Amino acid sequence: MLPLVETDEQGDAVLPDESVLRPGAQALCARLGLGGLPLERFAAGSVPVYAVGAEHVLKLFPAGSARDALTEERVLAFLDGALPIPTPSVRAAGADVDGWRYLLMSRLHGEGLAGAWPRIPPAERARIAHDCGEALATLHALDAEPLADVLGPEDWRAFLDRQRAGAVERQRERGLSEAWLEQIPDFLAAAPLPSGPLPSGKQRALLHTEFMREHLITDPAGGWRLTGLVDFEPAMIGDPAYDLVAVGLFTTRADPHLLGQLLTAYGRPVEPRLLMAYTLLHVYSDLPWYLRELKPSARTLEALAEEWFGVA
């Protein structure tokens, strides 16, 4: 039986503790007809995720993340076979005891792109960027309206207004210096953000929101082909450009050549100032961390937009 997790404090104590979680995961696997298969927990992830034998992955969501479980289940079922990069297929999903939900998925084989990246030759990195662009173009071209009952935000303009209202304080809490903080209001006021509700179609797209190396899988034996895109629980419906923040910061990591390859395959140019604005407005935005990771030479948000999101 999985333990009760009702508070953040309980989660902090329980979620890392395999002596507590593993018996519940094993019991659930037995109920799903997978008893006796090896159970190996993946190191990364905000919720427990296990490889179950060679062909299955079990993801567990405590009560506070129940909506994420429903989101990922619906999005994966919607995407099954729809993208040029494989996504997991849903094998089973449902509620367990004490508010937990589970998602049993097919296992995508290969190696995490983030760990593999240092060993990948430059030409293959460029091809991977191209393949990522094609996959994003396909994702954003899908009609996302069948998922509108489970994915938000309903009003993109209202979402941006809420994010803008808290943008300075959010970065201050993360430790951003005053020299950067004082630039944020004027930069956002001048940024080419949507001025009203997004129309349907290509301007209201299904977004992964964290399209990054950490959520991509590659197969060294297959010539570094991408063999998986995972983790759709933060998915949203909104402006396609919002998805390109993680692409620029974490997939191409401010490499203008790689970003150019990706956007060429994506098929649409994107204004760097728009991506910088979405960097500040993203629900997971942490500009001080990005600055430490990417170590830019720019000292203004305008210059940073070009350095991080300009293309060769």
Side-chain angles (χ1 to χ4, degrees):
M1 179 181 294
L2 293 165
L4 180 66
V5 176
E6 293 182 317
T7 66
D8 290 342
E9 291 75 16
Q10 288 174 329
D12 291 342
V14 166
L15 296 185
D17 192 342
E18 274 295 273
S19 68
V20 174
L21 286 181
R22 180 170 290 268
Q26 289 173 327
L28 177 56
C29 286
R31 293 197 297 274
L32 294 172
L34 303 173
L37 291 177
L39 201 63
E40 179 184 358
R41 183 166 177 176
F42 292 103
S46 57
V47 296
V49 184
Y50 295 89
V52 185
E55 301 300 328
H56 304 279
V57 169
L58 179 67
K59 194 168 187 176
L60 302 175
F61 300 83
S65 301
R67 182 174 178 83
D68 292 341
L70 295 170
T71 295
E72 188 154 29
E73 176 188 349
R74 284 283 302 279
V75 173
L76 289 179
F78 176 79
L79 287 177
D80 199 12
L83 301 183
I85 302 175
T87 55
S89 297
V90 177
R91 302 298 191 216
D96 201 54
V97 297
D98 288 330
W100 285 81
R101 295 194 67 87
Y102 65 88
L103 185 59
L104 183 69
M105 303 167 282
S106 61
R107 184 174 182 180
L108 303 176
H109 293 282
E111 180 180 349
L113 182 61
W117 191 261
R119 310 195 318 273
I120 299 176
E124 295 304 311
R125 292 180 179 182
R127 184 187 50 73
I128 286 171
H130 179 276
D131 292 350
C132 286
E134 284 190 339
L136 273 174
T138 303
L139 177 68
H140 293 166
L142 297 173
D143 179 6
E145 293 309 311
L147 296 171
D149 62 322
V150 71
L151 297 186
E154 182 177 349
D155 185 331
W156 189 255
R157 181 69 256 177
F159 163 72
L160 294 185
D161 288 344
R162 291 192 299 272
Q163 294 300 104
R164 179 183 288 183
V168 173
E169 189 56 34
R170 187 163 50 249
Q171 301 303 332
R172 179 178 282 117
E173 290 173 354
R174 285 157 173 72
L176 188 64
S177 70
E178 287 297 326
W180 287 105
L181 288 170
E182 65 186 14
Q183 299 178 47
I184 292 176
D186 288 345
F187 182 85
L188 290 177
L193 291 160
S195 58
L198 293 175
S200 60
K202 291 185 177 180
Q203 295 308 308
R204 183 171 156 81
L206 174 59
L207 311 176
H208 183 285
T209 77
E210 293 190 295
F211 193 100
M212 51 205 285
R213 296 179 195 173
E214 287 75 7
H215 297 150
L216 288 159
I217 301 170
T218 185
D219 182 6
W224 301 108
R225 294 287 172 184
L226 292 174
T227 55
L229 173 62
V230 299
D231 285 355
F232 281 87
E233 70 270 17
M236 299 168 66
I237 295 176
D239 185 349
Y242 185 88
D243 240 357
L244 297 173
V245 171
V247 166
L249 296 178
F250 300 113
T251 305
T252 61
R253 289 186 69 88
D255 182 319
H257 173 68
L258 289 179
L259 184 58
Q261 292 284 328
L262 191 149
L263 291 177
T264 296
Y266 184 64
R268 299 181 234 171
V270 182
E271 165 62 59
R273 292 179 304 140
L274 175 60
L275 297 193
M276 191 66 232
Y278 277 141
T279 298
L280 297 168
L281 300 176
H282 199 283
V283 293
Y284 301 127
S285 180
D286 190 341
L287 186 55
W289 191 75
Y290 307 153
L291 293 170
R292 291 192 299 270
E293 280 287 302
L294 299 177
K295 299 178 175 58
S297 60
R299 290 297 176 263
T300 68
L301 291 173
E302 288 281 351
L304 196 58
E306 289 296 331
E307 186 168 342
W308 281 354
F309 301 113
V311 300

